Amino acid sequence: MHLTCRDLVVRFRPDVELFRGLSFDLTQGDLVSLTGPSGSGKSTLLEVLAGWRAPTAGTVSRNGVVTVAWVFQSPVGVARRSALDHVALPFLVQGTRRPGADARAAELLDRFGLAAVADRPFGALSGGEAQRLMFTRAVAKGADLLLVDEPTAQLDPASAATVNRVLGELAGTRSIVVVASHDLATQAACDRTIDVRGVPAGVAT
Amino acid sequence: MRRRRSADDGAPPPAYSRSARPRRAPRDRMEPGEVVREAWRDVSTGVARPLLAAGVLALIMAMSGVWAARGVVDLSQEAREFRTAGASTAIMTMEMVVDGAVCDSLATYPGIEAAGALRPVAQGVRFAVSPSRAIPLFEVSVGFIDLLSVIGAARANPDGGGVSGVWLPEATAEALGLAPEGPWPDLAIPAGGQVRVAGLYTFPEDGRQQDLSFAVLAPVPAPDGLALDSCWAELWPATYEVSRLAVAVEPLRIDGSKAVNPTFAQLNSTLGEQFDGPARFAEVARAPGVALAGAASLAAGFVLIRVRRLELADSRHCGLSWATQGWTMLAEAACWILPAAAVAAPVVLIAALAGNPEPPGPAAAAGAMAVVCAAAGAAVGTLLGTWTIAERQLFQMVKNR
């Protein structure tokens, strides 16, 4: 499974051009961070990688990448449904019956340090817990490609640290994880960094 | 990362490589039982806003159902008023040549509910309580009493007088000292003897001809050949057409009376000549209330889904297909549509019953149609709302939140 981008360009108007021929390769287990100033197109690049936006020029090759999961800056959930319900849903969709889905969801919640809040409604979770829940659900979905957009932007430092720790645990898993973030700690949790302005930034680890 | 070329350096048209086209997510394999359980969890936790939804829909159903039912009830009342006022009663007059038996038999014709003949008796009748005052007397065929039950709310004497006695309008009864409520005693006549009172009828001054408002009606056997003056027929549906009456009047003639020309009149012309019940009922059935109920509930169902678009798009992102989500939303909708219908149904039934002079079936059916339309509208709105949800919108929704 690998993801290859070649000579990417996204143009919004004739005078606004992003990426300028950006090229990179990602493979299974990669955990990379996208860097660049505000407006440089980090989120846009995530959309391109997800297949939700076609680039103006260049190609994206996603060999073996079928399922894509997103983790957004603001966690998305159903306020009155429990954390367990959120993680169980992907298993139910995969055909697992409720008891099995709950068991597997509980296992994942435990792995991500959320066992204590499994029965708590999503609306009652703290920001850090909700964001970690989003990661947990993405793993439950079995995503080949996990796209993460500013996961710590709305969190206090302590919550952000827990989220970054969870992020770091995703390295080397079966997914390709791409994170758009200004947060240096988040970038440090990743294996390497891609500057979306098209400038090679080297390896961050 | 390598910078290979810029976008405007003559590069080939932008494209995804074949393997990079957005792919369909693997088909979801959610069990039907789990669909129902998920729907129930959304309902029981309040995620589906079942109370709000049921309340709104019950209101729409009740309002539209009551509107539809009352439309039919009002029509029934109007029809009853038209009939009891005598507006649907035609009078065919041919002095001394109307065959009373034939006139009675018109009631067996389609579109004629009751018919009967009468003729005035020149001397009138005097009673012992007021011997100086002659009251107009009419001899009527037996069928005329059936007609009185429609146009005069005739009520028989509780002592069982039946038709073997005279029928009096309330004004005459009052003049003779009879109470409005029976039983009524026999009336003495100056020459000696008694006359039984068979019953009373009402004959208000509502625009109808007043010949029978102060009179005495004496039913007489109507063997073939009994010559009376006029034949009254209650037509329903009431389409007072002379051509139609002309066809009916010919058999009434006693043999050898061809020279008498018939005249036609309407007992009460103040309410118009026609009341086409079936056509009016069709108009009521086509009233926009039912369509409005469907549209309003469709909008309600649609909005109730759209306000959840973020969480629903997120569920799609978890792999839930449109079909599965549609079934889930329909199952949830059933949990508020059915209770709403259960709440609205008795209200509509009461509306169909209250003040309805006819059996409540048609009015209840009209109300039920509105309720069913509202239920269907809510279900369709739910599906339409679900149809507008796409995983792809999730990113933009999150950005705009």
Side-chain angles (χ1 to χ4, degrees), chain A residues 14 22 25 29-30 73 82 86 92-93 96 99 104 107 127 132 140 153 182 201:
Chain A
L22 178 66
D25 298 286
D30 276 353
Q73 178 177 330
S82 70
H86 282 76
L92 293 173
V93 171
T96 309
R104 293 173 71 180
E107 195 178 308
R132 279 150 57 201
H182 285 102

Side-chain angles (χ1 to χ4, degrees), chain B residues 117-119 138-145 167 212 217-222 226 228:
Chain B
L118 80 167
R119 70 177 174 194
F138 290 85
E139 290 180 332
V140 300
S141 66
V142 175
F144 199 87
I145 306 306
W167 289 78
L212 303 186
L217 305 188
V220 294
L226 174 67
L228 300 174

Side-chain angles (χ1 to χ4, degrees), chain B residues 28 103 119 132 189 196-197 306 310 351:
Chain B
D28 82 72
C103 179
R119 70 177 174 194
S132 62
I189 55 177
R196 288 184 61 80
V197 176
R306 287 297 297 172
L310 190 56

Side-chain angles (χ1 to χ4, degrees), chain A residues 6-7 9 11 20-21 23-24 43 47-48 51-53 55-63 66-70 72 74-76 78 80-81 85 92-95 97-98 137 141 149 200, chain B residues 1-8 14-17 19-24 26 28-31 34 37-38 41-42 45-47 310-311 314-315 317-320 391-392 394-395 398-399 401:
Chain A
R6 291 288 176 268
D7 309 320
V9 173
R11 192 178 294 122
R20 297 177 185 171
S23 296
F24 57 85
S43 296
E47 287 185 72
V48 171
W52 289 3
R53 178 190 290 277
T56 310
T59 60
V60 180
S61 171
R62 304 191 303 169
N63 292 316
V66 176
T67 56
V68 179
W70 281 85
F72 297 103
S74 302
V76 178
V78 184
R80 296 189 184 192
R81 295 294 296 268
D85 283 346
L92 293 173
V93 171
Q94 290 158 20
R97 288 186 173 278
R98 189 83 208 186
R137 195 176 61 169
K141 188 180 171 183
D149 192 17
Chain B
M1 281 69 64
R2 292 160 290 175
R3 177 182 291 178
R4 292 212 166 163
R5 58 177 178 256
S6 64
D8 53 358
Y16 280 102
S17 67
S19 60
R21 286 176 187 156
R23 298 183 181 198
R24 290 178 182 275
D28 82 72
R29 300 188 297 273
M30 199 163 173
E31 299 278 341
E34 298 303 339
R37 271 185 281 275
E38 271 300 291
R41 280 178 183 241
D42 276 349
T45 56
V47 171
L310 190 56
E311 68 184 58
D314 187 51
S315 295
H317 184 54
C318 286
L320 206 61
E391 176 194 0
R392 190 173 288 251
L394 183 62
F395 189 85
V398 171
K399 286 285 182 190
R401 192 162 60 158

Side-chain angles (χ1 to χ4, degrees), chain B residues 66-86:
Chain B
V66 167
W67 187 7
R70 292 311 298 178
V72 175
V73 171
D74 290 347
L75 182 61
S76 298
Q77 288 174 336
E78 197 180 337
R80 175 58 63 95
E81 184 186 349
F82 193 87
R83 297 181 72 179
T84 56

